[in-house]
Amino acid sequence: MPKSRIRKKADFTPPPAAKTAGIRLTNRSTWVAPVMLAMFLIGLAWIVVFYVTEGDLPVDALGNWNIVVGFGFIAAGFGVSTQWK
C-alpha cells in the first residue's frame, strides 16, 4: 500500500498588533471594583442599621422593606461586578 504524502503547512505567524491611539485597555475598568465594594458595603450597612435600631432607621416608613432595599444594593453590587475584567 502506498504511503500518503505529508503536507507541510506554514507556521502560523500572528499579524502585528494594531496600535491603539493612546488608550490603555487595562485602565477602562478601574471604577468597577470601588463601586462594587461600595454597593456591597452600603447594602450591608443598611441591613445592619435596620436591625440594630429595631426598625427605626434608615427609613422608618419602609418598615421591613428596608431589608429589600439593603439586598437591592447588594444585588446591584453583583450586577456591577459583571463588568470587572
Side-chain angles (χ1 to χ4, degrees):
M1 177 177 279
K3 192 174 181 182
S4 65
R5 285 191 248 162
I6 298 173
R7 295 180 205 146
K8 213 161 193 189
K9 292 183 179 180
D11 291 335
F12 175 73
T13 306
K19 299 278 184 184
T20 56
I23 298 173
R24 291 187 347 205
L25 296 177
T26 58
N27 198 18
R28 289 189 333 178
S29 60
T30 57
W31 61 273
V32 173
V35 171
M36 176 184 66
L37 291 175
M39 292 291 202
F40 288 155
L41 292 176
I42 289 170
L44 180 64
W46 193 288
I47 293 170
V48 168
V49 167
F50 174 72
Y51 276 115
V52 169
T53 62
E54 298 176 356
D56 293 336
L57 292 176
V59 180
D60 188 27
L62 290 178
N64 286 336
W65 284 97
N66 280 305
I67 298 170
V68 175
V69 172
F71 278 114
F73 276 110
I74 294 172
F78 279 115
V80 170
S81 72
T82 62
Q83 300 299 314
W84 196 3
K85 294 182 182 182

